[in-house]
Amino acid sequence: MTNLSELAAGLDEAARTATAVPQLTDTYPNLSVADAYAIQTLSVARRWARGERRAGYKMGLTSRAKMQQMGVAEVIWGRLTDAMRLEEGGEMSHARYTHPRVEPEIAYIMRKPLSGNVSLAEALDAVEAIAPAMEIIDSRYKNFKFALADVIADNSSSSGFYLGAWANPSTDVANLGIVMELNGRPVQIGSTAAILGNPIRSLVSAARLVGSVGESLQPGDIVLAGGATAAHALSPGDFVRTSFQNLGAVSFNVTA
Ligand code: OOG
Ligand code: MG
């Protein structure tokens, strides 16, 4: 098998140049989840080498809506870098992505380290604040199609994220209504409860999953809990606004 660094370099280059590539599993149908995470680590290492900095982690496929949309029924995770953070209310340039989509999320920022098997109470106690968020996902694979190992190797489609105003960690976000609008028209309606029944469960899973590879959530890390609804494709000229019950709204414009 080609070595994992070559596969990592290919995916990193695809992301950097916004060019779609064939799925790794087309060539390596038996690519394991462990190898896929190793490719992810190597690919993100190329970002660290270019000067990008750690911003935290993202959880993926934590809702049935997302699992069904993507045809992958397993919770996954990826790394966030500072270069992925976009300015709330600002613009995103469509040309920098291959086929970007947007999805509504809940974000946590950590005040304490968290890793391994933790309770819901321990997870919540490690949270500094909670914010409404939107994630920009952009698969590096043609037609946004992938198997489990492909998407993991591709840093779980991580590409960008917008954060709204931080709220007190005691804010109850177990079941808050969400309306995502595209150009003033509602395109996704849902609830934060779609995220594993309660987004805090996603933080518990994040601690366990990153712990399983010897990492931990660190103070200052942002953790995206996963899309609460299916993702929506973006086109230049779009204005996206998502309102979250009790948490406020997050918006941005898509430019060419
Ligand atoms: C994989 C990433 C999934 C989420 O929130 O469920 C994800 C994808 O759908 O491309 O970010
Ligand atoms: Mg997501």
Side-chain angles (χ1 to χ4, degrees):
M1 185 171 171
T2 319
N3 74 44
L4 302 180
S5 335
E6 262 173 60
L7 299 178
L11 286 169
D12 177 54
E13 196 59 10
R16 213 179 51 78
T17 59
T19 320
V21 296
Q23 295 177 44
L24 304 186
T25 56
D26 286 353
T27 311
Y28 307 103
N30 299 321
L31 185 69
S32 71
V33 164
D35 279 349
Y37 277 111
I39 295 169
Q40 180 192 124
T41 304
L42 291 164
S43 151
V44 176
R46 300 171 65 92
R47 290 176 176 264
W48 306 144
R50 285 198 295 274
E52 291 183 39
R53 300 195 179 191
R54 174 190 180 106
Y57 296 92
K58 61 84 63 77
M59 297 295 287
L61 309 178
T62 49
S63 66
R64 203 178 301 272
K66 284 288 306 176
M67 287 185 177
Q68 273 169 356
Q69 182 179 33
M70 304 322 300
V72 176
E74 196 104 29
V75 170
I76 58 176
W77 59 276
R79 278 112 170 166
L80 301 176
T81 79
D82 63 342
M84 296 175 188
R85 181 152 181 187
L86 299 162
E87 192 193 339
E88 202 280 311
E91 295 180 340
M92 68 160 267
S93 154
H94 196 277
R96 292 187 47 214
Y97 304 84
T98 310
H99 31 215
R101 295 178 178 178
V102 61
E103 54 196 17
E105 304 232 358
I106 288 290
Y108 293 96
I109 186 162
M110 309 305 295
R111 69 180 185 96
K112 282 186 183 174
L114 199 68
S115 183
N117 289 319
V118 298
S119 66
L120 294 175
E122 283 165 337
L124 195 56
D125 181 56
V127 170
E128 172 80 36
I130 305 176
M134 281 192 277
E135 184 181 18
I136 307 297
I137 49 169
D138 190 26
S139 176
R140 267 52 74 163
Y141 301 112
K142 289 183 175 147
N143 305 315
F144 222 117
K145 288 238 163 65
F146 45 70
L148 176 65
D150 295 310
V151 65
I152 290 169
D154 185 26
N155 197 19
S156 297
S157 307
S158 305
S159 293
F161 61 95
Y162 288 91
L163 302 177
W166 290 110
N168 193 290
S170 63
T171 312
D172 182 2
V173 298
N175 185 11
L176 300 179
I178 296 173
V179 181
M180 185 161 81
E181 291 174 358
L182 205 72
N183 307 315
R185 185 173 59 91
V187 288
Q188 295 291 341
I189 295 178
S191 161
T192 55
I195 306 165
L196 296 175
N198 181 341
I200 192 71
R201 292 214 180 95
S202 182
L203 191 61
V204 168
S205 298
R208 182 173 45 80
L209 292 169
V210 308
S212 73
V213 297
E215 296 186 26
S216 59
L217 308 180
Q218 290 292 323
D221 274 355
I222 288 159
V223 180
L224 294 177
T229 70
H232 206 88
L234 292 169
S235 305
D238 283 344
F239 172 65
V240 185
R241 183 176 188 277
T242 304
S243 45
F244 296 76
Q245 183 187 353
N246 297 349
L247 292 177
V250 186
S251 65
F252 65 92
N253 278 291
V254 186
T255 62

